[in-house]
Amino acid sequence: MGKFGVILIAIILFLVMNILFYKVLAGYYKNEFGKRRWSLGGSKTFFWNGSIFFSAGVTCLIMYILKWINILTF
């Protein structure tokens, strides 16, 4: 598998983790912050910052596990 395939898998994993994070926790954050505070930029920035860090971390972990069990080679 070439570099393009590995990068494509990483991007797809990142997007899937980001969507799952949003689906699971968006309602909780909206209720926690309230409608008025959620419409402001700071609360959304906090949420998306956490989403990106979570998605990146899980993606790195999954890619490391796939490399460790010799499914991916790079």
Side-chain angles (χ1 to χ4, degrees):
M1 180 176 296
K3 288 183 181 181
F4 180 74
V6 172
I7 291 171
L8 186 65
I9 290 172
I11 290 171
I12 290 171
L13 278 172
F14 179 80
L15 292 175
V16 167
M17 290 300 123
N18 206 353
I19 290 170
L20 286 174
F21 186 89
Y22 177 78
K23 292 287 185 184
V24 171
L25 294 177
Y28 171 76
Y29 275 95
K30 286 179 185 178
N31 289 336
E32 186 70 27
F33 287 116
K35 188 173 184 176
R36 183 173 180 276
R37 284 186 58 199
W38 182 254
S39 65
L40 299 173
S43 299
K44 286 182 185 176
T45 304
F46 175 72
F47 175 77
W48 286 111
N49 189 18
S51 175
I52 289 171
F53 281 134
F54 172 79
S55 299
V58 172
T59 300
C60 289
L61 180 67
I62 291 173
M63 294 295 284
Y64 177 75
I65 290 171
L66 290 176
K67 182 174 173 45
W68 183 57
I69 58 176
N70 293 326
I71 292 177
L72 293 178
T73 55
F74 53 91

